[in-house]
Amino acid sequence: MRNTEKIPKIVKEPYPHVVVKDFLDEQTLDLVTYALAGLEYDFDESDLFSYLSFGLTDVDHPVINILRDDLGDSSWRKKVASSFGVKPLSKIDLSAYVYGLGSFLLPHDDQVEGRVIAYSLHLTDIEMTDKSGGALCIYEANEVGKSELVKTIIPEYNSLIMFEVSDKSWHQVGEILEDIQRLTVTGWYHS
Amino acid sequence: MNRIFNSSDFPFVRLSKFLDIDSVEYNPSFRNEENIGYFKRKQSKAVLEEFWKSSDFVEFLKEVTGLTLSFRGAKHLSYSAGDYSLLHADELEPNRLAIVYDFTKKWRLEWGGYDLYTSPDKEPLICNRDYGSLMIVKLDKGDLSCTRYVSLKAKEDAVIDFVTYIPE
């Protein structure tokens, strides 16, 4: 179950985003972490990224079903839509990602038809620092594509990061620089 | 050499120690170049621009590729730690011959920074950094290429002259 029903005030610049801390209750958190540890992840690599992933959207598993509800039930979707001031959100998709040493996701804006709010629930149960890598880097880009790093969010255990998808929502996951496993459940709220 | 060139999905040949690279005067004047989501790197005038334009070299390319070519452009590119280019096509000249001459010293494979050529119907071609080697590759409509992300752990820069020719 969710540990909190409150979404803090949305930060507007450079594009709307927010971090919800302590998102899941302790029992659910333990169950989810245990369930995700037992998955057989696929190694995915392209010019844009390198990581391990496992699609969860259609997985029928008691714990994943609870997690899917916690992230995407009607009540929470209404709160997310209201907080960001967007039209009603119909559904979510979700996948688990593991970033190990050398993994990265280069700058991109997430724009795909139907995606309204991107989210990432952080489940790395060790304290990450800027030396670990793996931070969510938020960029502001001008009209010719020159970027400025305006914010770095170091993932905290059990925190849910959300941001509005638009042509401004440039972000990346910094390269992992230490021998850690950065675990997240990530996806989008759709229109 | 022409038979070797045409023996794979991506017609290519790679020649190591192509020039006496240590005698080349190397003092590029870089400027930062970025289009977020496409590339981030530094660029300057090609170090060997006059050589790439020379009739001797164009004639050499004709012997290797069997193509009559005209010079289209050349630039010197530097990819430092954290730099990248993503897979892209050349919208203006989909059929082209690409030349990469490698000025990269002391490279380690785990730093990435390699050149990748790919296409839906072709076996991908990976070209790791190799100081002083000349890569000649023919790209057709739909073919994509990039220089892959350079790890933040890289202690050197991946530096190349990148030259394009158009078949006549």
Side-chain angles (χ1 to χ4, degrees):
Chain A
M1 288 177 62
R2 286 189 292 272
N3 187 51
T4 178
E5 294 298 323
K6 286 185 115 179
I7 297 176
K9 192 176 177 192
I10 305 296
V11 179
K12 295 289 185 190
E13 299 295 336
Y15 49 83
H17 66 279
V18 70
V19 181
V20 181
K21 294 189 177 181
D22 299 319
F23 179 68
L24 296 176
D25 70 66
E26 211 164 295
Q27 189 185 10
T28 309
L29 191 57
D30 286 345
L31 289 169
V32 167
T33 307
Y34 185 76
L36 294 179
L39 300 175
E40 289 189 17
Y41 291 82
D42 294 320
F43 176 64
D44 286 336
E45 186 177 41
S46 78
D47 53 335
L48 185 68
F49 56 76
S50 173
Y51 47 57
L52 299 169
S53 71
F54 192 101
L56 296 171
T57 302
D58 300 317
V59 169
D60 185 14
H61 178 286
V63 175
I64 303 303
N65 294 345
I66 291 170
L67 176 64
R68 191 183 297 107
D69 281 347
D70 287 342
L71 285 164
D73 66 16
S74 168
S75 155
W76 185 251
R77 290 201 315 270
K78 277 181 190 167
K79 285 192 177 98
V80 173
S82 167
S83 295
F84 279 91
V86 298
K87 290 180 179 173
L89 301 165
S90 66
K91 62 176 181 177
I92 64 163
D93 56 30
L94 67 167
S95 297
Y97 295 91
V98 178
Y99 287 68
L101 182 63
S103 294
F104 61 87
L105 174 59
L106 293 179
H108 63 291
D109 63 13
D110 265 8
Q111 281 198 101
V112 170
E113 192 175 355
R115 291 178 181 175
V116 180
I117 305 292
Y119 73 86
S120 197
L121 175 62
H122 287 271
L123 297 166
T124 313
D125 62 355
I126 56 166
E127 186 180 354
M128 292 179 65
T129 66
D130 54 355
K131 285 184 182 172
S132 320
L136 178 70
C137 303
I138 290 180
Y139 293 94
E140 185 166 17
N142 67 15
E143 64 280 0
V144 293
K146 182 134 181 67
S147 74
E148 183 186 352
L149 175 64
V150 295
K151 191 170 187 176
T152 299
I153 300 175
I154 296 171
E156 281 183 42
Y157 187 47
N158 199 21
S159 67
L160 177 69
I161 301 174
M162 295 186 281
F163 62 82
E164 188 173 345
V165 176
S166 73
D167 59 2
K168 290 182 176 176
S169 54
W170 291 102
H171 62 285
Q172 77 164 9
V173 177
E175 179 184 344
I176 304 291
L177 300 171
E178 294 180 342
D179 189 12
I180 60 166
Q181 293 196 321
R182 177 191 191 270
L183 174 63
T184 67
V185 171
T186 297
W188 294 271
Y189 294 89
H190 292 255
S191 55
Chain B
M1 205 179 294
N2 186 240
R3 263 205 318 224
I4 297 170
F5 180 75
N6 285 302
S7 63
S8 65
D9 281 351
F10 282 101
F12 83 99
V13 66
R14 193 170 200 202
L15 306 169
S16 61
K17 299 175 184 169
F18 178 70
L19 297 171
D20 179 13
I21 189 169
D22 291 324
S23 68
V24 173
E25 191 179 334
Y26 185 80
N27 52 1
S29 179
F30 285 116
R31 62 181 170 83
N32 291 323
E33 183 181 60
E34 182 189 18
N35 189 351
I36 190 168
Y38 294 91
F39 56 79
K40 182 171 176 290
R41 61 198 177 196
K42 292 191 283 291
Q43 186 194 146
S44 78
K45 183 184 174 195
V47 173
L48 296 170
E49 179 154 325
E50 297 311 313
F51 176 70
W52 307 126
K53 284 179 175 172
S54 70
S55 55
D56 281 354
F57 186 69
V58 174
E59 190 57 34
F60 166 75
L61 290 178
K62 184 176 181 179
E63 283 180 32
V64 172
T65 65
L67 300 168
T68 302
L69 299 158
S70 58
F71 175 85
R72 181 185 164 219
K75 52 193 170 185
H76 190 62
L77 298 174
S78 172
Y79 291 86
S80 302
D83 287 353
Y84 63 92
S85 69
L86 298 188
L87 286 170
H88 61 282
D90 188 326
E91 300 296 334
L92 296 175
E93 304 288 359
N95 302 305
R96 71 269 188 207
L97 190 77
I99 305 293
V100 175
Y101 186 63
D102 207 328
F103 288 87
T104 310
K105 290 180 178 173
K106 296 177 185 169
W107 197 252
R108 294 172 62 165
L109 285 179
E110 63 266 31
W111 293 345
Y114 55 80
D115 295 330
L116 172 66
Y117 307 91
T118 188
S119 188
D121 304 322
K122 298 179 182 178
E123 276 292 308
L125 177 62
I126 288 173
C127 192
N128 289 313
R129 302 271 62 95
D130 180 36
Y131 183 57
S133 77
L134 181 80
M135 176 72 172
I136 303 170
V137 57
K138 185 173 179 295
L139 300 170
D140 297 322
K141 188 175 181 181
D143 292 346
L144 305 169
S145 64
C146 72
T147 298
R148 200 152 187 275
Y149 171 74
V150 175
S151 169
L152 295 175
K153 295 192 170 181
K155 305 279 188 228
E156 303 283 336
D157 295 343
V159 276
I160 56 173
D161 261 9
F162 181 81
V163 195
T164 312
Y165 298 83
I166 307 302
E168 291 180 348

